[in-house]
Amino acid sequence: MLNPLFYIQAIVLALSQIWANKLRSILTMLGIIFGVWAVTTVVAALSGVTTMVLKEFEALGGSKMFIFPDRPDDAPRNKYPWSVIRLKPDELIALATNCPSIVAITPETNLGATIQHGERKREAVRVTGIWPDWHDIQKRATLIGRPFARVDEENARQVCLVNQDAISELGLDTDPIGQHILVRSRRFLVVGVVENRRETIFDRNVTGTEILIPFSTAVKLQDPQFFFMIIAKLKSPEVAAEAKAEARFVLRQARKLGPDEPDTFELFAADEFIAGVKRVSMVLTVGGGCVVAVSLLVGGIGIMNIMLVSVSERTREIGLRKAVGATPAAVLMQFLLEAIMLCLVGGVIGIAFGEATALALSKFPGANLQEAAVPWWAIVMSFSFCAATGVIFGMFPAIKAARLDPIEALRHE
Amino acid sequence: MIISTRQLCKVYRVGVERIHALRGIDLQIEPNEFVAIMGSSGSGKSTLMNIIGCLDRPTSGQYLLDGRDTSRIGVRDLARVRNQQIGFVFQSFELLPRMTALKNVELPLIYASGGWRARRRKAEEALERVGLGDRMHHRPNQLSGGQKQRVAIARAILNNPAILLADEPTGNLDTATTNELMEVFEQLHDEGQTILVVTHETHVAVHCRRTITLTDGLISSDISTSSKGDVGNGVRTVGRAIEGALGTPTAPTHRLKDA
């Protein structure tokens, strides 16, 4: 076993060698530096994007499930016409009553309508038909007045909610409760004001007038084959898979689909989305890892080259060390440690650059990467890869040094 | 008996040719002897030196170092033997340029066990013994040739080796410095150190108490001079010995490259 002081001395010696040959060492380490720099930056940016996307998605409602009509892939159009695959109101009621994992459910159907208030007239305004559960699901506050109640839906009352933007665009009073607006020439009583949609990375175009009316009222205004989608709130994000199974069962039964027939609808829950984001981010991270592996390989060859030069430059020194009692293992260890130190110093510089870049990214206006940071596991991994590179590419020169014949070495010019 | 060899032979292969560097050396060296090994280029003196220093192994024959058969020592333990029992001094000093004199002297200790303080003290003592107590923190390029060689001697005697081996220690030094350096060897000899010097120069050999001359891989003469007081006689004796061995009336005035 080697004296512990030997290791300290070898590391100090290695660092002093690096310092004494500053330019050469830096050029040698470039491959390592760039590799580590690139990967820490990529990982930092990815982790920033992932964190932000997931955060926004949670805010949007991580425990939501969306249900759309969907024509099965490769299926002939005439077999699944729109009239068959579109969601129907009785299917909505079946889902609402038969799915224990669903705690709230609402349809959403949009129609473009001409809106009039006094002299002001707006074309093609988005009018959305909803159930009262919508308030609970979308979490948009009712600022003035009241939200929809069951009675509005059951009686298909001609009442509406407007958003904040509608007040100015339609010239309504600041408190518009009790005022009337015309939707497709029908008089609707304004009963409340809901806040505007919040901007998210998924939905940037959030300004403009919005009119909300009871779903049953909207049905009367719609075409007979109108489209709607369903948004359900689940007990918790963890029951997404169960909720999907329940909804699939209910819908397949309602549509009398045989066991061989594909789904004619699509269920989409947040768990898939989160898993998707994580998968994409992992694929990118692995891709980044491959880039690093290549650049570490290139850097490693540089390290091996310079270590071979070092061994041949210091042949006499090796001879002397052997003459005064260095075992082959001690010589091997000395040169191996030097290669490892070279790689680790390169790694430190690369990580420092990566941290600086991550900081710059997080401060970059408009990049939306406030969360960008180099995760600790990336630092640990970079260091271990650097050390491994040092061991792998330093081994051959070190073995060469350890095998030198001391007599030959001392005679070397 | 520090060193005892019996029928020591060394054969090198160069291509298909076989070169007999040593053809059967029987050599005994007692503790506290001060021996010079002389001989012309190719006489085998460097090969003998390398074998005695455990850097090389004989092709045949036996070499006992301090009573221990070196053919039975493995590679790792041979490194330990070099570390503990042998001190080397080379013609071109072999100091590491970026280290101070003290660090250079400490070098063998990093391959041995022992703590930081003990190491420092040992190295300082060794430097003081060779008269360089005031130059400990100088780097080799701040030292003269003689001083460099004294650092190398301090490094060699650090572990109180059984034998101090010097290979042409004065080959790179002028006459005045050579005499100074030989004084250091004399002093170490007086302190009880066993010393073996390989040299071409008779004025180096006269400092020794025994001169062995090698010719073509064999000992051709082995002459002892009783004491340092016998220098004049020693010079004549050694001169005659060389004359006999080399067949030339004058001693070589310049160093010959040793093969």
Side-chain angles (χ1 to χ4, degrees), chain A residues 301-343:
Chain A
I301 291 167
I303 298 278
M304 179 150 75
N305 187 27
I306 220 68
M307 288 311 295
L308 285 172
V309 169
S310 184
V311 168
S312 97
E313 266 181 357
R314 286 152 69 193
T315 301
R316 289 181 80 96
E317 178 191 324
I318 295 164
L320 171 79
R321 284 174 183 274
K322 288 194 158 187
V324 301
T327 56
V331 174
L332 181 106
M333 192 53 83
Q334 184 194 331
F335 281 89
L336 206 53
L337 276 173
E338 200 172 310
I340 293 169
M341 290 317 289
L342 208 52
C343 288

Side-chain angles (χ1 to χ4, degrees), chain A residues 3 9 316 321-322 324, chain B residues 82-83 92 94 111-112 119:
Chain A
N3 188 342
Q9 188 120 348
R316 289 181 80 96
R321 284 174 183 274
K322 288 194 158 187
V324 301
Chain B
R82 290 199 293 272
N83 186 254
S92 46
E94 306 300 344
Y111 300 112
R119 222 168 92 175

Side-chain angles (χ1 to χ4, degrees), chain B residues 77-97:
Chain B
D77 289 324
L78 217 51
R80 185 197 284 282
V81 167
R82 290 199 293 272
N83 186 254
Q84 300 290 327
Q85 290 185 272
I86 291 162
F88 283 102
V89 176
F90 302 97
Q91 180 181 350
S92 46
F93 322 132
E94 306 300 344
L95 301 180
L96 299 184

